[in-house]
Amino acid sequence: MQITVSAPGKIHLLGEHAVVYGYPSLLSTIDKRLEVILTLLDKSNDTKEKIQIQTPEGTGLIYKSLEIFQKAARLSQLPPLHIKVESDIPVGSGLGSSAALSVALMGALFKGIKNLWNPVKINELAYEVEKLQHGNPSGGDNTVVTFGGLVWFRRETEFLKSIWNLPSASYHLPSLILIDSGRPKETTGEMVSYVNRLYTQKKTFYENIFKDQERETRNLLSALKKGDRENVKRAFYRGEKNLEKMGVVGKKAQSLIRSIEKLGGFAKISGAGGITEGSGMILCYLSNFEKIEEIAKKFGCNIHKVNLGVEGVRIENGE
Ligand code: MEV
């Protein structure tokens, strides 16, 4: 028996980092997906490896997901499985590749082994995996990847999240260009801990930035609703400045962003960021696409065009 489940990548339109401290964030899925192809192997299969994994990246997150699933499904042991991962979501660049993997795998395990399809449960367990992987995540990444579209998210407490699934069709979501400023040296967990260390030292300073970021996230939402491009630009501009004040944007990303702004466009990092080397994907909008290509080339960066608000986790086949 074989089942394929896919999940999309995501971007933080605004509110990353602040969201870890209970402030809202606005997230969207992107049209890049990851697929988990799960095969239940014949029980008599006498290969020594009961769990066979084929993945372009490490297996750590897969084993964590299996452990959490096994516990939640109250199984004394897992049946023999073959897990294959295929993805077009760049890894470690702020596009939610780890959330997409834990969500798609959790979905495939529930459907394949228990014949259950419950996105709320998938999201809940993927959050447990994210906690093992990143330490103190807000839960926003796994939520948008599960439910899809555009999501207004707030972590009220560790066990209570406010999740608003907004109808993407009622918002003027721009197509964006992602400029790859390079894979960050720091993991998401390390960036979250880094901000937390600074927050503990300069609480008032950080609280003020987070409050301002909440204002900008609200401004962005209203501007997207009205299709007010000038205010979309302003919210992104101010939001990016706040991320720089938080200390999560590296030098290369900052000068790349300034170049886009000089030409009348907007650009911001998305997700945890990075300081020592790259800062992950930079969201960028400028009506003149050739200019973006030129700037990206000058900085030696690849670009990807993405559409926003696509469907969340789904069964591709094997139903
Ligand atoms: C990571 O994609 C976004 C952060 O806000 C962390 C989180 O929300 O868990 C930096």
Side-chain angles (χ1 to χ4, degrees), residues 5 20-21 104 113 119 141 148 150 156 179 182 194 214 266 298:
V5 173
V20 174
Y21 299 83
I113 299 174
D141 291 13
L150 184 66
E156 307 294 351
I179 305 186
Y194 170 73
E214 168 158 4
F266 64 69
K298 191 174 125 203

Side-chain angles (χ1 to χ4, degrees), residues 193-203 206 246-247:
S193 311
Y194 170 73
V195 171
N196 190 254
R197 272 199 305 281
L198 296 171
Y199 172 82
T200 321
Q201 288 160 16
K202 302 200 269 181
K203 217 165 179 163
Y206 271 83
M246 284 177 211

Side-chain angles (χ1 to χ4, degrees), residues 20-21 127 130-131 133-139 155 158 189 192 196:
V20 174
Y21 299 83
Y127 179 52
E130 288 278 279
K131 283 198 279 190
Q133 185 76 357
H134 300 304
N136 184 28
S138 62
R155 177 166 83 164
E158 150 63 19
V192 168
N196 190 254

